[in-house]
Amino acid sequence: MANLLIAHGGGPTSVINASLYGVITEAKKYPEIEKVYGAVGGSSGMLTENFIDLKEISDEEILKLLKTPASALGTSRFPLYEKEYERILEVFEKYNIKWLLFNGGNGSMDTCGKIYEIAKDKGIGVVGIPKTIDNDIFTTDHAPGYGSAARFIAQTVKEIGEDVKSLPIHVSVVEAMGRNAGWITAASALARKKEGDAPHLIYLPERPFNEEEFLEDVQKLHEKYGGVVVAVSEGLKNDKGEPVAPPIFRTERAIYTGDVGTHLATLVVKNLGIKARSEKPGIAGRASIMNQSPVDVNEAVEAGKVALQSVLEGKTGVMVGVKRISTDPYQCETILIPIKEVMMGEKIMPDEFINERGNDVTDEFVKWARPLIGGELTDFADFNLGVRKEKI
Amino acid sequence: MANLLIAHGGGPTSVINASLYGVITEAKKYPEIEKVYGAVGGSSGMLTENFIDLKEISDEEILKLLKTPASALGTSRFPLYEKEYERILEVFEKYNIKWLLFNGGNGSMDTCGKIYEIAKDKGIGVVGIPKTIDNDIFTTDHAPGYGSAARFIAQTVKEIGEDVKSLPIHVSVVEAMGRNAGWITAASALARKKEGDAPHLIYLPERPFNEEEFLEDVQKLHEKYGGVVVAVSEGLKNDKGEPVAPPIFRTERAIYTGDVGTHLATLVVKNLGIKARSEKPGIAGRASIMNQSPVDVNEAVEAGKVALQSVLEGKTGVMVGVKRISTDPYQCETILIPIKEVMMGEKIMPDEFINERGNDVTDEFVKWARPLIGGELTDFADFNLGVRKEKI
């Protein structure tokens, strides 16, 4: 008899609790696991021995995890200091923890890999469960959390597109999360059903932003469609690699830049004289339960279950990943990837997913991403009114 | 045999199409209505004779109206010039229009009232259908569109609250729509289930913003809870009645101010040194189909039906309104209000709905608003972790 510990790391997703659900429900099947500890507040909870026993929580509460955003255990963004790893080993011994599941993104997989290195001689198994809205985890086709963030932005841009079309007097710039990788912003393309549908322009951090071309494109599209919807990644950079939005002010620790969506909208008003506004759902985009992708929820649960099974089978130093077998019909299999490989990089959008002008994604991306949002978006009534030009 | 015309005016809601559904399905029951014209693009469509025959549209497409945001007919923000009213009478004669239903907010009811005045001697009936996310229409308890905007902000703030609580390292300022009236922002209070739940502070345009008290409150709440969620109305003003957010630039037509959410977050970082960010769902908040309030949808459909029945019965110069009979259990009845009375003002939050410090709403407001969002919000798993202070 020994105990299992599960911890969350980094910014939450709308399905990280679904992976937790998978771990807990699966763990209950194995009598060799005495306690299923949850570290409260991620790695901090491991250091401060702030644990809760997840087997003690009612089935009713556990079931709610499937529809609960954020992290029910609490999470943290702080990396561990070198000497803190030794402390973690002490805690593991004190609590008779033989198995660790660490559920997080790139930063957490790094922590996970380091714990594995120091814990492997003690017979402690360590398995990573991927989690990211940004889809920037290396070596896996995609990771739980992305499909729901993608569905949220697609649904939201589709709805905003209807609004802007029905009242064609402005440009709306929708800012999506993702500092270094444009996967979420790119998924706004899934809002489209026919030519002319929003989003009309998509800007990703993988390509330097060209202000002149942007204004040229907005002008043309405004003439063509009246209302224009632009999707932009919060991490958009210029050709010097600097944020496109100007800095607002500096503190000792950081430079605060303005919102890129607001900045682009301001460019449009100032240079083209066209009314423009911006929308920034921000963290609402990673916490939306109403827009969870059912495929994403299922894959998140599955990742939790497989992680639990794997660590019990003695697999260690690995992360549960997804390998795509086929896109149409959508078919994936769960694989185990050495964490060392995961730690090698950050996955950004490949060239073949971005168009030449850098203002849109390719059909190839849309085909790749479509199954991840878990079914069609709401089909709206369309009276085919044509483009309205009056009184713009 | 004569024809009916329906037009939309002003910014859309997520249920204005539900009222259209009510009108069309009801109109089909009356053989004396030959055609049900929809004015494409609101009043502009009336002037340019841009009509579609809504009886020709398939039942399947009409049904989709219940789940379609924005305006399926197209809408417009432009008021009519005086001489254009005469033009409208010509168009009515040419198309044998005997009944007009105008679906909009305060501006549209003004237009509606003016058309009524000039059309009344011609035997043309005019009935208004209220629509607003802002809930600022005078004389009616509330109006279709508000309940869904309220549900959206409550659900979104609840989700953001979970996120901020699980990663307690910052303040999130959520900006809601509403320039002069704080009804939408106030509805964020419906996110709360127990003490300490988000939103922790609510700022409305009905009260001048006090920066010093705001910073004091944020500091205290941050010490108490770690993560703090602030809901703020886009129209927040200082004690001089000016927008709180500083102007970014001016054009000939308007002054563009920054986003108030961003401004408040910046105040927190600069003055308190606490990490803060802002979210601005913007028009996503009035276009969200996933967050429609079922009560709101039903009331919107009903308003359309009653408007149609009333105009056929010869009632004219009136708007369909809602009178509340009881709050618990929730019971309302549909009434007809002379448009002249509607035109008399804009409804802002009354004093008894705002707390003394001007940083929250009262229980009275919450009781009043609760039934409008149509049922409880998703119940999230709660492991009662307590307040985490480590490494903030």
Side-chain angles (χ1 to χ4, degrees):
Chain A
M1 295 281 281
N3 301 320
L4 175 92
L5 176 64
I6 170 150
H8 287 169
T13 74
S14 71
V15 302
I16 186 170
N17 286 327
S19 288
L20 183 60
Y21 170 89
V23 169
I24 299 170
T25 51
E26 190 68 14
K28 285 184 176 172
K29 298 179 190 164
Y30 298 86
E32 62 264 46
I33 307 176
E34 194 182 346
K35 290 187 187 235
V36 177
Y37 288 122
V40 176
S43 47
S44 326
M46 292 202 257
L47 293 171
T48 56
E49 306 172 28
N50 192 355
F51 297 150
I52 54 170
D53 185 351
L54 295 164
K55 273 193 171 174
E56 294 297 306
I57 290 172
S58 71
D59 288 350
E60 190 197 2
E61 208 61 19
I62 296 300
L63 189 60
K64 286 187 202 162
L65 286 173
L66 295 172
K67 293 263 168 216
T68 300
S71 161
L73 292 176
T75 174
S76 151
R77 276 192 192 288
F78 293 94
L80 293 169
Y81 297 113
E82 201 141 328
K83 60 180 180 187
E84 291 176 332
Y85 285 95
E86 290 302 321
R87 165 78 187 131
I88 281 175
L89 281 191
E90 284 170 33
V91 174
F92 281 13
E93 202 180 328
K94 179 171 170 188
Y95 286 85
N96 192 26
I97 290 163
K98 199 176 154 187
W99 308 286
L100 171 68
L101 302 180
F102 209 91
N103 193 175
N106 278 323
S108 302
M109 288 309 127
D110 192 74
T111 303
C112 196
K114 286 172 180 163
I115 297 178
Y116 158 70
E117 283 299 332
I118 59 159
K120 65 183 173 188
D121 300 334
K122 316 271 179 185
I124 294 166
V126 178
V127 172
I129 306 169
K131 165 245 64 164
T132 171
I133 54 164
D134 293 329
N135 202 38
D136 57 353
I137 302 178
F138 217 54
T139 66
T140 179
D141 178 75
H142 59 279
Y146 173 64
S148 297
R151 187 175 183 93
F152 174 89
I153 201 72
Q155 176 74 20
T156 301
V157 163
K158 185 170 175 168
E159 290 167 344
I160 290 172
E162 285 297 297
D163 194 292
V164 166
K165 190 174 67 180
S166 81
L167 191 70
I169 53 158
H170 59 224
V171 172
S172 165
V173 183
V174 186
E175 181 177 320
M177 292 190 105
R179 292 249 166 245
N180 301 320
W183 297 99
I184 300 176
T185 311
S188 64
L190 300 172
R192 296 174 186 147
K193 222 179 126 185
K194 62 177 201 310
E195 211 214 310
D197 282 351
H200 304 97
L201 293 165
I202 298 175
Y203 295 97
L204 311 167
E206 283 83 356
R207 291 283 181 279
F209 179 65
N210 183 319
E211 190 176 308
E212 208 174 306
E213 287 182 7
F214 164 69
L215 291 169
E216 201 178 293
D217 291 345
V218 169
Q219 176 85 64
K220 269 189 207 156
L221 288 160
H222 180 60
E223 277 161 25
K224 195 167 173 188
Y225 298 122
V228 179
V229 178
V230 179
V232 61
S233 173
E234 60 175 346
L236 194 65
K237 292 168 191 71
N238 63 21
D239 53 9
K240 294 187 195 86
E242 299 157 345
V244 164
I248 312 182
F249 68 99
R250 288 155 204 270
T251 64
E252 275 171 38
R253 283 176 296 181
I255 298 172
Y256 281 74
T257 56
D259 295 324
V260 66
T262 309
H263 178 67
L264 262 53
T266 306
L267 286 178
V268 170
V269 183
K270 274 189 174 169
N271 293 281
L272 304 177
I274 301 169
K275 203 174 160 185
R277 52 167 294 136
S278 63
E279 339 296 327
K280 185 181 81 162
I283 54 178
R286 73 183 184 201
S288 172
I289 283 303
M290 306 306 288
N291 288 292
Q292 276 180 329
S293 152
V295 164
D296 194 28
V297 174
N298 290 340
E299 291 184 349
V301 173
E302 189 62 19
K305 286 188 175 178
V306 171
L308 190 278
Q309 290 158 359
S310 302
V311 81
L312 285 189
E313 285 165 12
K315 314 274 170 60
T316 183
V318 290
M319 180 191 81
V320 176
V322 175
K323 186 177 166 187
R324 189 178 297 223
I325 308 295
S326 120
T327 284
D328 190 13
Y330 177 63
Q331 207 191 333
C332 277
E333 66 176 25
T334 305
I335 52 171
L336 295 178
I337 304 163
I339 287 187
K340 268 188 191 163
E341 290 176 26
V342 179
M343 288 161 72
M344 279 166 62
E346 185 179 39
K347 189 178 67 176
I348 60 169
M349 298 259 297
D351 285 344
E352 64 267 30
F353 282 175
I354 307 173
N355 78 343
E356 209 178 323
R357 196 168 166 93
N359 66 0
D360 209 334
V361 297
T362 59
D363 290 344
E364 225 176 316
F365 168 77
V366 171
K367 271 183 213 142
W368 175 86
R370 178 85 62 198
L372 306 182
I373 65 169
E376 291 298 312
L377 302 176
T378 321
D379 194 18
F380 296 149
D382 185 354
F383 292 174
N384 296 308
L385 305 180
V387 176
R388 285 163 44 215
K389 289 291 190 179
E390 76 272 16
K391 280 197 166 181
I392 283 176
Chain B
M1 294 284 279
N3 302 320
L4 175 92
L5 176 65
I6 172 153
H8 286 169
T13 75
S14 71
V15 302
I16 187 170
N17 287 327
S19 289
L20 183 60
Y21 170 89
V23 169
I24 299 170
T25 50
E26 191 67 14
K28 285 185 178 172
K29 297 178 189 165
Y30 297 87
E32 61 264 44
I33 306 175
E34 194 182 348
K35 290 191 187 229
V36 176
Y37 288 122
V40 175
S43 45
S44 326
M46 292 202 257
L47 293 171
T48 56
E49 305 172 31
N50 191 355
F51 296 149
I52 54 170
D53 185 353
L54 294 163
K55 273 192 169 173
E56 295 296 306
I57 291 172
S58 72
D59 289 349
E60 190 196 3
E61 207 65 15
I62 296 299
L63 189 62
K64 285 187 201 161
L65 287 173
L66 294 172
K67 292 265 168 213
T68 300
S71 160
L73 293 175
T75 175
S76 151
R77 274 192 194 286
F78 294 93
L80 293 170
Y81 296 112
E82 201 141 327
K83 59 178 181 190
E84 290 176 331
Y85 285 96
E86 291 300 321
R87 165 80 187 130
I88 281 176
L89 280 192
E90 284 169 33
V91 174
F92 281 13
E93 202 180 329
K94 179 171 172 188
Y95 286 87
N96 192 25
I97 290 163
K98 200 175 154 190
W99 306 287
L100 171 68
L101 301 179
F102 209 91
N103 193 175
N106 279 322
S108 301
M109 288 309 126
D110 193 72
T111 303
C112 196
K114 286 173 182 163
I115 296 178
Y116 158 69
E117 283 299 331
I118 59 158
K120 63 183 172 188
D121 299 334
K122 315 267 178 190
I124 294 166
V126 178
V127 172
I129 306 169
K131 163 244 70 168
T132 171
I133 55 163
D134 293 328
N135 200 40
D136 57 354
I137 302 179
F138 217 53
T139 67
T140 179
D141 178 76
H142 60 279
Y146 174 62
S148 297
R151 189 175 182 92
F152 174 88
I153 201 72
Q155 177 75 19
T156 301
V157 163
K158 185 171 173 163
E159 290 167 345
I160 289 172
E162 286 296 300
D163 193 291
V164 166
K165 189 175 67 180
S166 81
L167 191 71
I169 51 158
H170 60 223
V171 172
S172 165
V173 183
V174 185
E175 181 177 319
M177 292 190 107
R179 293 249 166 243
N180 301 319
W183 298 100
I184 300 177
T185 311
S188 64
L190 300 171
R192 296 173 185 148
K193 222 176 127 186
K194 60 176 202 310
E195 212 215 306
D197 281 352
H200 304 95
L201 293 166
I202 299 176
Y203 295 99
L204 310 167
E206 283 84 354
R207 290 283 181 278
F209 180 65
N210 183 318
E211 190 176 311
E212 208 174 303
E213 286 183 8
F214 164 70
L215 292 169
E216 203 180 291
D217 292 346
V218 170
Q219 176 86 63
K220 269 188 207 157
L221 288 160
H222 181 62
E223 276 160 24
K224 194 167 174 187
Y225 298 123
V228 179
V229 177
V230 179
V232 63
S233 172
E234 61 174 344
L236 194 65
K237 293 166 190 74
N238 63 21
D239 53 11
K240 294 187 196 86
E242 297 157 346
V244 164
I248 311 181
F249 69 99
R250 289 155 204 270
T251 64
E252 275 170 40
R253 286 176 297 180
I255 299 171
Y256 280 73
T257 56
D259 294 324
V260 65
T262 310
H263 177 68
L264 262 53
T266 306
L267 286 179
V268 171
V269 184
K270 273 188 174 169
N271 293 281
L272 305 177
I274 300 169
K275 202 173 161 186
R277 53 168 292 136
S278 64
E279 341 294 328
K280 186 180 79 163
I283 53 179
R286 72 183 185 202
S288 172
I289 283 303
M290 306 306 288
N291 288 293
Q292 276 180 330
S293 152
V295 165
D296 193 28
V297 174
N298 289 340
E299 291 185 349
V301 172
E302 189 62 17
K305 285 188 177 178
V306 171
L308 190 279
Q309 290 158 0
S310 303
V311 82
L312 284 189
E313 286 166 13
K315 313 274 170 62
T316 183
V318 291
M319 181 190 83
V320 176
V322 175
K323 187 177 163 186
R324 189 178 297 221
I325 309 294
S326 123
T327 284
D328 189 15
Y330 177 64
Q331 206 191 332
C332 276
E333 66 175 25
T334 305
I335 51 170
L336 295 178
I337 304 164
I339 287 187
K340 268 187 191 164
E341 288 177 27
V342 178
M343 288 161 73
M344 279 167 61
E346 187 180 41
K347 191 179 64 178
I348 60 168
M349 297 260 294
D351 285 345
E352 64 265 30
F353 282 177
I354 307 174
N355 78 345
E356 210 179 321
R357 198 170 164 90
N359 66 2
D360 208 335
V361 296
T362 59
D363 290 345
E364 226 176 317
F365 168 78
V366 171
K367 271 182 213 143
W368 175 87
R370 177 85 63 200
L372 306 183
I373 65 169
E376 291 298 312
L377 302 174
T378 322
D379 194 20
F380 297 149
D382 184 355
F383 292 176
N384 297 308
L385 305 179
V387 176
R388 285 161 46 213
K389 288 291 189 177
E390 75 272 12
K391 278 197 169 182
I392 284 175

